[in-house]
């Protein structure tokens, strides 16, 4: 029987995701009058910004000062880390973009999730000179990005299986096909090659239930997750990005601009899940990654939030008095925190087998992790 490598609806949705960018050449590098118009490009969510350079440079090549190209990108004064996937950068730095959004509601089987997509472009600046080596490691082209990707894949394999032999033993042709599938956004080709790596992370009975729809299942998602629901076990590779807001704000659009990476906490840590006969949710995973933020003996607050059907309220009820979750976003999606973590991992992870989670937290004092 032939394997089906088309992926789930959610995986297809993620792999087709792109962010519209309006890219300006930085004023300090413009040598012509009038200055060149901005370049408008669609950046794949699962890609990396430097991979766009061959597409962007022709717009600005006649306006550059003499010298050797050392390309980097900037958003509102912040040099962007080239090894962080473009989608994760957007989720982290653009919690409430200054331009209008569309809110798209999508059903995956019987699961409703909300995804934000910008109507207008996100404005970035590109530099071809003056590389900030004190902030960013060198990036000399596609080869170093590929090396970073494969290295992350090895790390993920070690977390999942306790070794990375399958990655080390990949044939050159498979490694090339895997990388090309990421570059070209080809999910089917990616699944065909990655299936050889034996990186199955968790069992996901929840997705099976999504595909076996019943008339009342949409209303029973949270109820099921509270009972036996989906059970899973394993070690999940996660990269968590936490923006701490130390001002008393109600709307994220009032959040201060992230002008330094010192204001963003980064956690590269596996989430360990044991089969305890109950559903392990996204909320449980966040609590495992940030235990210092959660108050002891807070189950009472959780019940209050869940009965109201407000996932964010449930999470806030579980936090200590000094912190409040303002936003959780994965692949442009703001999921309910009661969603089974197995579904999140199997459908929303990046091609290097890491799950990138972006969180905004309002705290009285910045978080140190």
């Amino acid at each position: 029987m032939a394997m089906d490598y088309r992926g789930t609806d959610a995986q297809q949705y993620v792999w087709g995701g792109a962010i519209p960018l309006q890219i300006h050449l930085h004023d300090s590098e413009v040598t012509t009058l009038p200055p060149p118009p901005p370049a408008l490009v669609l950046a794949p969510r699962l890609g990396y910004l430097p991979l766009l350079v061959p597409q962007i440079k022709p717009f600005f090549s006649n306006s550059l000062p003499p010298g050797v190209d050392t390309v980097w990108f900037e958003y509102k004064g912040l040099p962007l880390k080239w090894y962080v996937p473009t989608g994760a950068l957007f989720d982290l730095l653009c919690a409430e973009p200054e331009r209008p959004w569309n809110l798209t509601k999508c059903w995956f089987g019987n699961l409703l999730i909300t995804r934000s997509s910008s109507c207008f472009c996100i404005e970035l600046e590109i530099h071809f000179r003056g590389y900030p080596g004190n902030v960013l490691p060198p990036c000399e082209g596609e080869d170093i990005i590929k090396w970073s990707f494969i290295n992350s894949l090895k790390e993920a394999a070690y977390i999942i299986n306790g070794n990375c032999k399958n990655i080390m033993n990949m044939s050159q042709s498979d490694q090339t096909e895997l990388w090309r599938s990421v570059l070209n956004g080809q999910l089917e080709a990616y699944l065909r090659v990655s299936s050889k790596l034996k990186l199955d992370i968790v069992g996901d009975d929840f997705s099976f239930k999504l595909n076996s729809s019943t008339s009342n299942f949409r209303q029973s998602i949270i109820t099921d997750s509270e009972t036996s629901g989906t059970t899973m076990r394993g070690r999940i590779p996660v990269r968590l990005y936490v923006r701490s807001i130390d001002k008393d704000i109600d709307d994220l659009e009032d959040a201060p601009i992230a002008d330094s990476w010192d204001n963003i906490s980064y956690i590269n840590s596996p989430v360990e899940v044991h089969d305890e006969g109950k559903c392990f949710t996204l909320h449980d995973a966040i609590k495992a990654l940030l235990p210092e933020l959660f108050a002891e003996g807070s189950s009472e607050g959780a019940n209050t939030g869940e009965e109201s059907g407000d996932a964010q309220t449930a999470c806030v009820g579980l936090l200590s008095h000094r912190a409040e979750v303002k936003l959780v976003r994965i692949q442009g999606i703001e999921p309910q925190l009661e969603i089974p973590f197995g579904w999140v991992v199997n459908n929303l992870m990046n091609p290097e087998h890491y799950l990138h989670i972006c969180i905004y937290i309002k705290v009285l004092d910045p978080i140190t992790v």
Side-chain angles (χ1 to χ4, degrees), residues 152-202:
S152 292
L153 188 61
K154 291 177 183 177
E155 292 178 2
Y158 188 85
I159 290 170
I160 296 166
N161 293 330
N163 65 75
C164 54
K165 291 187 295 184
N166 290 340
I167 313 299
M168 300 293 290
N169 294 334
M170 285 181 71
S171 67
Q172 189 61 43
S173 61
D174 279 350
Q175 190 175 124
T176 299
E177 184 178 356
L178 184 72
W179 177 239
R180 286 295 158 191
S181 70
V182 175
L183 287 181
N184 299 323
Q186 297 172 331
L187 174 60
E188 189 169 342
Y190 169 81
L191 292 176
R192 186 182 304 112
V193 179
S194 64
S195 64
K196 302 177 184 179
L197 303 179
K198 309 299 181 185
L199 296 178
D200 298 328
I201 298 181
V202 294

Side-chain angles (χ1 to χ4, degrees), residues 314-363:
C315 185
V316 170
L318 284 168
L319 289 175
S320 66
H321 66 280
R322 58 181 287 272
E324 175 187 352
V325 170
K326 302 295 290 185
L327 175 71
V328 176
R329 186 178 289 160
I330 308 170
Q331 297 293 9
I333 294 166
E334 297 172 20
Q336 292 185 1
L337 298 180
E338 289 84 2
I339 286 181
F341 193 52
W343 186 92
V344 174
V345 172
N346 286 322
N347 289 279
L348 304 184
M349 70 178 180
N350 276 61
E352 82 285 12
H353 278 263
Y354 268 92
L355 183 68
H356 296 259
I357 304 175
C358 299
I359 300 181
Y360 273 60
I361 295 181
K362 184 173 75 174
V363 292

Side-chain angles (χ1 to χ4, degrees), residues 52-72:
L52 300 173
V53 172
Q55 184 180 351
I56 297 170
K57 186 176 179 180
F59 288 89
F60 306 123
S61 57
N62 294 330
S63 300
L64 293 175
V68 178
D69 290 350
T70 53
V71 184
W72 55 287

Side-chain angles (χ1 to χ4, degrees), residues 269-272 280 282-292 294:
S269 176
V271 172
E272 295 201 24
F280 188 87
L282 175 59
H283 172 267
D284 294 326
I286 294 173
K287 184 176 180 180
L289 290 166
L290 296 171
E292 66 278 6
F294 288 80

Side-chain angles (χ1 to χ4, degrees), residues 59-298:
F59 288 89
F60 306 123
S61 57
N62 294 330
S63 300
L64 293 175
V68 178
D69 290 350
T70 53
V71 184
W72 55 287
F73 293 82
E74 178 182 328
Y75 177 70
K76 295 185 176 180
L78 179 69
L80 298 179
K81 295 186 175 182
W82 57 263
Y83 50 87
V84 177
T86 304
L89 285 172
F90 176 79
D91 292 344
L92 176 66
L93 300 175
C94 306
E96 289 287 351
E98 60 275 13
R99 299 181 182 256
W101 294 65
N102 279 337
L103 290 179
T104 305
K105 293 186 181 293
C106 298
W107 288 101
F108 297 128
N110 286 302
L111 176 61
L112 175 66
I113 61 175
T114 301
R115 183 173 186 175
S116 312
S117 57
S118 57
C119 303
F120 295 92
C121 295
I122 303 303
E123 296 188 21
L124 302 183
E125 290 184 308
I126 187 171
H127 297 253
F128 290 83
R129 306 289 184 265
Y131 194 84
N134 60 325
V135 178
L136 304 177
C139 179
E140 299 172 355
E142 182 183 325
D143 286 345
I144 191 68
I145 301 170
K146 177 183 176 182
W147 175 86
S148 176
F149 172 84
I150 296 297
N151 193 54
S152 292
L153 188 61
K154 291 177 183 177
E155 292 178 2
Y158 188 85
I159 290 170
I160 296 166
N161 293 330
N163 65 75
C164 54
K165 291 187 295 184
N166 290 340
I167 313 299
M168 300 293 290
N169 294 334
M170 285 181 71
S171 67
Q172 189 61 43
S173 61
D174 279 350
Q175 190 175 124
T176 299
E177 184 178 356
L178 184 72
W179 177 239
R180 286 295 158 191
S181 70
V182 175
L183 287 181
N184 299 323
Q186 297 172 331
L187 174 60
E188 189 169 342
Y190 169 81
L191 292 176
R192 186 182 304 112
V193 179
S194 64
S195 64
K196 302 177 184 179
L197 303 179
K198 309 299 181 185
L199 296 178
D200 298 328
I201 298 181
V202 294
D204 182 14
D205 299 333
F206 187 68
S207 291
F208 175 78
K209 295 173 75 175
L210 291 180
N211 295 326
S212 305
S213 60
T214 63
S215 58
N216 296 323
F217 184 70
R218 293 177 184 175
Q219 288 76 28
S220 67
I221 291 174
I222 295 177
T223 302
D224 283 355
S225 71
E226 290 172 353
T227 56
S228 58
T230 303
T231 59
M232 55 177 283
R233 60 182 173 274
R235 303 180 78 228
I236 316 301
V238 173
R239 287 179 173 163
L240 180 70
Y241 310 87
V242 182
R243 279 192 64 178
S244 302
I245 304 170
D246 58 359
K247 294 185 178 180
D248 188 13
I249 61 172
D250 294 321
D251 297 320
L252 285 176
E253 63 183 11
D254 298 324
I257 295 172
D259 56 1
S260 169
W261 286 101
D262 292 338
N263 300 327
I264 298 169
S265 299
Y266 169 67
I267 301 173
N268 184 10
S269 176
V271 172
E272 295 201 24
V273 185
H274 305 284
D275 187 354
E276 298 176 345
K278 63 179 181 179
C279 177
F280 188 87
T281 66
L282 175 59
H283 172 267
D284 294 326
I286 294 173
K287 184 176 180 180
L289 290 166
L290 296 171
E292 66 278 6
L293 292 183
F294 288 80
E296 295 293 331
S298 52

